[in-house]
Amino acid sequence: MNDIVEDSDAVEVMTLPLDQWHRDAGARMVEFAGYHMPIQYEGIIAEHGWTREHAGLFDVSHMGQLMVTGPDVAAALEHVLPGDISALKDGRVRYSLLLNEDGGILDDLMVTNTGEGYYLVVNGATKWDDIAWLHENLPETVTLTHLDESALLALQGPEAVTALARLVPGVVDLSFMQAMVAEWNGHRLGISRSGYTGEDGFEISVPAEAAHALADALVAMDEVKPIGLGARDSLRLEAGLPLYGHDMTETVDPVTADLAFAISKRRRSEGGFIGADAVLPLLERGAGARRVGLTIEGRMAAREGAGVFAGEARIGTVTSGGFAPSVGQPIAMATIATGHDMPGTRVTIEMRGRQIEATVAEMPFVPHRDHRKAKTGA
């Protein structure tokens, strides 16, 4: 996993509620986003495979959990988000983006309408900047609360619903991108059927004081094992899901990042969000480059920053890459010039003086297994 740095005494690293729980479970801990985090327990390949077949428990408590409440809060959020927040029904979840005035992506996030307000989950590495940005750009009539006394767990994999339903039976009724509030052992849980692995599963917001007991209750089941960030990265890469700070940054717009779906039809028509003046023209004329998937020949993984070439001409840059256990070969994402972005296009990646042959591929590399209810009617 190329975005995790080995522990260093030079930087103050904070601990999360389950820090000792991970160490007791045998995790190898590293610094990530300012926290000690588990990168692996028994090995990335084994943990990746377990999640594909059963259910993996991930600790993502480093991510920022925010609550936005107040009068006209949906309209206020539509000033800072390009999604159709006003149309988001109670108990529904939506993917969205924070943009700067130039249309660059400051962060990607999930928004849930709880019925009491809007619950946001933002990236751990950017959460403090996000909070400052939101304070600066939201009206004083709304309240932004950092839920820093809550942990966040992700239970992912085909057996996640079987395991979690033993503790919270109502989760079986949730579909992908739906959410509920439940009570477990006297604690309030916020549960959404979502995640960032491409597998069916849930994200569970739990009070920090109850996180240890909930993690114990889940891994006591035969279906569940604790899984580190290393496998989370390989799973999201196979799912074709971009990672903030790598596949998208504040200099990359949503069209280039292939995330234009996050700008709803009404918002494209009406605008009115930060970054609209820069992004809306790109939706019409294109951005000149696009995030694509690459399958790579041989065993050498392409790393972030590697150049992508068509003949002698550099046409793009690898944004993330690694070995894909479920695919059985290295894969990558890259931003490359339009005209070279069609699936099947042959390109060359330059890595450490070597030329690696690659092919533009459809994403996801492994089909998503989100739980969606079948449509009814004639």
Side-chain angles (χ1 to χ4, degrees):
M1 186 175 184
N2 59 2
D3 57 333
I4 291 180
V5 178
E6 292 289 350
D7 208 342
S8 169
D9 293 334
V11 179
E12 181 183 0
V13 184
M14 297 177 283
T15 58
L16 290 166
L18 288 178
D19 185 272
Q20 191 59 50
W21 188 90
H22 295 304
R23 297 177 192 276
D24 292 344
R28 177 184 165 212
M29 304 292 282
V30 299
E31 186 273 330
F32 178 65
Y35 295 95
H36 293 290
M37 298 289 290
I39 186 172
Q40 64 180 48
Y41 296 84
E42 58 181 300
I44 292 174
I45 300 295
E47 292 169 31
H48 181 109
W50 181 270
T51 305
R52 286 272 185 242
E53 298 296 325
H54 304 285
L57 182 64
F58 302 81
D59 182 3
V60 289
S61 300
H62 62 298
M63 301 184 78
Q65 300 181 68
L66 312 175
M67 193 71 187
V68 187
T69 57
D72 299 321
V73 62
L77 281 173
E78 287 192 349
H79 175 59
V80 295
L81 301 174
D84 193 350
I85 306 302
S86 298
L88 190 62
K89 297 179 181 177
D90 290 4
R92 297 296 193 272
V93 186
R94 182 160 292 167
Y95 177 85
S96 195
L97 302 165
L98 277 181
L99 304 176
N100 60 28
E101 294 286 358
D102 297 328
I105 301 172
L106 297 173
D107 200 4
D108 65 333
L109 66 153
M110 304 294 281
V111 187
T112 302
N113 184 349
T114 69
E116 300 172 345
Y118 292 86
Y119 166 74
L120 278 53
V121 177
V122 303
N123 279 292
T126 56
K127 65 182 175 185
W128 300 113
D129 288 340
D130 291 352
I131 290 170
W133 175 262
L134 290 168
H135 273 303
E136 182 179 347
N137 290 285
L138 288 173
E140 293 182 356
T141 52
V142 304
T143 301
L144 175 66
T145 305
H146 183 195
L147 307 177
D148 56 354
E149 295 186 353
S150 293
L152 188 64
L153 304 179
L155 187 67
Q156 302 281 291
E159 295 178 350
V161 65
T162 301
L164 187 57
R166 294 193 189 106
L167 307 181
V168 184
V171 297
V172 298
D173 296 323
L174 294 177
S175 289
F176 180 58
M177 301 298 266
Q178 292 185 348
M180 63 180 290
V181 173
E183 184 173 308
W184 176 77
N185 276 5
H187 299 286
R188 178 185 166 107
L189 306 180
I191 302 173
S192 64
R193 199 156 191 170
S194 62
Y196 219 61
T197 63
E199 291 291 333
D200 181 26
F202 303 88
E203 292 194 347
I204 310 163
S205 178
V206 53
E209 67 270 21
H212 191 134
L214 179 59
D216 278 347
L218 288 168
V219 299
M221 301 180 197
D222 290 341
E223 296 91 347
V224 182
K225 284 185 177 182
I227 306 296
L229 293 180
R232 186 172 186 263
D233 194 57
S234 57
L235 288 160
R236 74 92 194 164
L237 185 61
E238 288 183 348
L241 299 171
L243 183 65
Y244 192 78
H246 302 268
D247 309 296
M248 50 186 159
T249 69
E250 63 181 63
T251 63
V252 175
D253 64 83
V255 180
T256 301
D258 201 27
L259 297 172
F261 71 89
I263 306 171
S264 64
K265 182 178 180 180
R266 177 176 69 82
R267 306 307 309 280
R268 294 181 187 210
S269 171
E270 298 178 1
F273 57 89
I274 294 175
D277 290 345
V279 170
L280 295 182
L282 296 178
L283 291 170
E284 296 291 330
R285 68 171 188 262
R290 185 170 71 92
R291 176 175 62 91
V292 301
L294 297 174
T295 53
I296 297 168
E297 296 179 11
R299 306 296 290 178
M300 186 174 181
R303 296 302 183 187
E304 181 178 355
V308 181
F309 292 82
E312 298 295 321
R314 179 164 178 157
I315 58 168
T317 303
V318 172
T319 52
S320 61
F323 182 75
S326 301
V327 180
Q329 67 181 102
I331 59 175
M333 294 185 201
T335 300
I336 66 174
T338 51
H340 301 276
D341 57 339
M342 294 301 293
T345 303
R346 301 280 295 174
V347 297
T348 303
I349 300 171
E350 186 171 300
M351 277 282 295
R352 302 169 188 162
R354 294 179 57 184
Q355 306 294 314
I356 306 172
E357 299 300 318
T359 303
V360 177
E362 296 275 7
M363 290 196 290
F365 298 96
V366 174
H368 291 192
R369 296 200 285 188
D370 307 323
H371 178 74
R372 300 174 190 265
K373 291 180 181 175
K375 293 183 178 178
T376 58

